[in-house]
Amino acid sequence: VEANTFTGALLDRAFDKRRRDPAWLQAQRRHSAARAVVAGTAGLKVAGSHLDLAPLTSIIAPAFPEPVLLGLDDHGPLFAVDEDSPAPVLERPPMIGAGGRRAEPPPPAEGRLGLREAATTLSQADGGLAAYAAAILNWHRAHRYCPNCGAATEPQEGGLARSCPACGAQHHPRTDPVVIMLVTDGDRLLLGRQRPWPPGRYSALAGFVSPGESLEEAVAREVQEEAGVRVTAAIYMSSQPWPFPASLMLGFTCRWAGGELGGIDDELQDVRWFDRREVEAAAEEGGSEVWLQGSGDGGRLLLPPRSAIARRLIEGWLAGPELSLGQT
Ligand SMILES: [Zn+2]
């Protein structure tokens, strides 16, 4: 099985007692082979089609906050540095290298890559590293103040936690779970489209998991809200980090269990059933890697990009057995 984009960072995250040892952390920072992923609002620093890892000593300046220790790879310690820090105190920080996100201009500079572009340009391992670095730097940007008491927080454990000196609260990086699901009914597949997408693009339904809800319940609720139908038999397929800014996409398939399409909520422009032939034809065409702008003619189905878990779910469904309608 092909791994999902944004997975596959090859490193030891050292997520153990080593991180809580100040002497060990200091030694990593001073290590002659210490390098850093450099990222900021303009994107990730790249050289050609791989991340441009700078020697840590060359980029540490008084203006930079403590670099985040991502972990150790075969060459030594690997850090992430937010090149835009320190940010103005009261301004809401933009996301790290989100390039291509709705209403944002594409990343401008040469030698920079937006995160979405990184998904299709970088190797599997570098894509995973990009996702990790962006997610953790985004978290630091948004958690400079304690959500409990409002005091300024301080990085701990090489940057994989923050603590509040005023109230003692410990804060850990967040990952927000999102369920993304294919609804199937024999050889029919239910897909939806959002307004900003290129003409003809349809993809899997998706939504955030709500507090106090199981993943299966989230799948059923989201499908009901977005398409007005009931589903059953949710089966977990695979997951994909989605650092825009901190999601984890949890991929499912589920079966239509009743109800007719209708009552579409504001998020979606349309939901439709597609038969296997239509989906097969769209998959064979390859389809655009472009996320938002695109050249679909509006008449034919345009599948999501290959770097999206939705596309992997659809390809997985196509690879499965052909069924006649109603036989599930
Ligand atoms: Zn506090």
Side-chain angles (χ1 to χ4, degrees), residues 182-184 186-191 202-203 272-287 300-304 306 310-319:
L182 292 183
V183 180
T184 67
D187 276 331
R188 296 198 300 171
L189 192 59
L190 182 63
L191 300 173
Y202 281 76
S203 187
R272 262 192 60 189
W273 289 105
F274 292 88
D275 67 38
R276 179 180 286 267
R277 303 276 173 268
E278 274 178 283
V279 181
E280 255 167 9
E284 274 161 23
E285 263 180 38
R300 275 184 312 188
L301 172 61
L302 184 66
L303 292 180
R306 291 188 191 285
R311 178 62 173 266
R312 306 292 176 89
L313 293 172
I314 292 168
E315 305 264 0
W317 177 74
L318 284 175

Side-chain angles (χ1 to χ4, degrees), residues 37 43 64 87 99 169 184 190 195 201 205 213 275 283 311 314 324:
V37 177
F64 281 120
T184 67
L190 182 63
R195 271 170 229 287
R201 159 128 340 129
L205 305 181
E213 187 175 53
D275 67 38
R311 178 62 173 266
I314 292 168
S324 61

Side-chain angles (χ1 to χ4, degrees), residues 210-276:
S210 186
E213 187 175 53
S214 71
L215 298 178
E216 305 89 296
E217 287 170 330
V219 166
R221 176 184 53 75
E222 281 290 342
V223 174
Q224 179 81 57
E225 283 175 12
E226 296 193 343
V229 300
R230 298 186 303 282
V231 295
T232 186
I235 297 171
Y236 170 74
M237 305 303 285
S238 70
S239 62
Q240 179 180 44
W242 199 241
F244 301 98
S247 296
L248 177 66
M249 310 298 283
L250 299 151
F252 284 83
T253 62
C254 57
R255 288 209 317 253
W256 176 78
E260 294 304 318
L261 298 183
I264 297 163
D265 71 12
D266 295 342
E267 272 177 63
L268 291 180
Q269 186 184 29
D270 189 28
V271 285
R272 262 192 60 189
W273 289 105
F274 292 88
D275 67 38
R276 179 180 286 267

